[in-house]
């Protein structure tokens, strides 16, 4: 498990458009909210993505960019964004490396069947690339609002 205060794992992953996005792109410039979700266009993930989209301008006002991440393909992300008019970048971690590096790829037991899945989690990373917060196993309900409140408490301003 990652903990606040440590260096955030570096990454270079394609977004929905196939453009490579790296944590280094934001160092010294913007804070990052990196949230992991299980699957595009599923009920809980849609609620969470819509909430982060609704609050994206407020996050921006606190010099913070929101990045969603799942193992879905770029094409799946494009469809998800188009269907719900999302205005946040979605990272396509098809290799699973990002999920492993952030320790969100976990065993899950459902109906007596054990399988691997993304544990819904969110990380706040400051401009220096350090983890300010690491939240594992979060509930999608009102989660974006809670993260925005934490960002406001940190007084991130451009």
């Amino acid at each position: 498990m990652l903990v606040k205060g440590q260096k955030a794992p570096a990454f270079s992953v394609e977004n929905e458009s196939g453009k490579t996005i790296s944590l280094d792109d934001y160092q010294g410039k913007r804070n990052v909210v990196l949230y992991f979700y299980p699957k595009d266009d599923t009920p809980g993930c849609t609620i969470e993505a819509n909430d982060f989209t609704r609050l994206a301008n407020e996050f921006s006002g606190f010099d913070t960019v929101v990045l969603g991440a799942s193992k879905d393909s770029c094409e799946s992300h494009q469809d998800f964004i188009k269907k719900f008019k999302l205005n946040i970048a979605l990272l396509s971690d098809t290799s699973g490396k990002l999920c492993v590096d952030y320790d969100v790829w976990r065993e899950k037991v459902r109906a007596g069947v054990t399988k691997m899945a993304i544990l819904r989690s969110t990380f706040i990373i400051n401009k220096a690339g350090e983890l300010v917060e690491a939240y594992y196993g979060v509930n999608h309900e009102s989660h974006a609002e809670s993260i925005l409140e934490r960002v406001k408490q940190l007084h991130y301003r451009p």
Side-chain angles (χ1 to χ4, degrees):
M1 234 183 202
L2 301 178
V3 294
K4 62 184 188 174
Q6 77 180 87
K7 192 82 170 157
F11 61 82
S12 288
V13 183
E14 288 185 344
N15 70 0
E16 69 282 350
S17 301
K19 178 184 175 197
T20 300
I21 303 293
S22 299
L23 183 57
D24 287 345
D25 296 341
Y26 302 101
Q27 284 205 313
K29 300 172 190 162
R30 300 200 70 191
N31 307 293
V32 175
V33 168
L34 176 62
Y35 82 94
F36 290 85
Y37 64 97
K39 186 127 181 75
D40 288 345
D41 204 5
T42 56
C45 298
T46 299
I47 290 168
E48 189 174 30
N50 281 327
D51 287 349
F52 274 117
T53 288
R54 181 173 43 80
L55 299 172
N57 287 337
E58 288 189 60
F59 277 104
S60 185
F62 284 89
D63 212 16
T64 303
V65 63
V66 176
L67 304 173
S70 75
K71 292 187 71 161
D72 293 301
S73 68
C74 295
E75 294 80 16
S76 176
H77 284 338
Q78 288 172 0
D79 292 343
F80 189 37
I81 287 170
K82 185 176 180 180
K83 182 175 180 179
F84 294 100
K85 297 177 177 58
L86 304 176
N87 68 351
I88 55 175
L90 299 180
L91 305 180
S92 182
D93 183 32
T94 55
S95 74
K97 183 180 181 336
L98 183 63
C99 290
V100 169
D101 288 351
Y102 277 80
D103 196 25
V104 300
W105 190 239
R106 305 279 185 94
E107 278 190 357
K108 184 177 186 177
V109 179
R110 177 177 260 160
V113 177
T114 302
K115 68 175 191 167
M116 297 299 289
I118 292 176
L119 177 66
R120 192 181 306 275
S121 304
T122 301
F123 303 89
I124 300 174
I125 304 165
N126 68 16
K127 293 176 186 177
E130 300 162 340
L131 289 171
V132 177
E133 295 292 352
Y135 301 104
Y136 287 93
V138 301
N139 185 323
H140 63 274
E141 293 289 337
S142 301
H143 180 63
E145 291 86 353
S146 298
I147 296 300
L148 178 60
E149 286 308 310
R150 182 62 184 125
V151 166
K152 286 178 179 180
Q153 290 169 1
L154 295 167
H155 303 292
Y156 289 144
R157 286 283 185 193

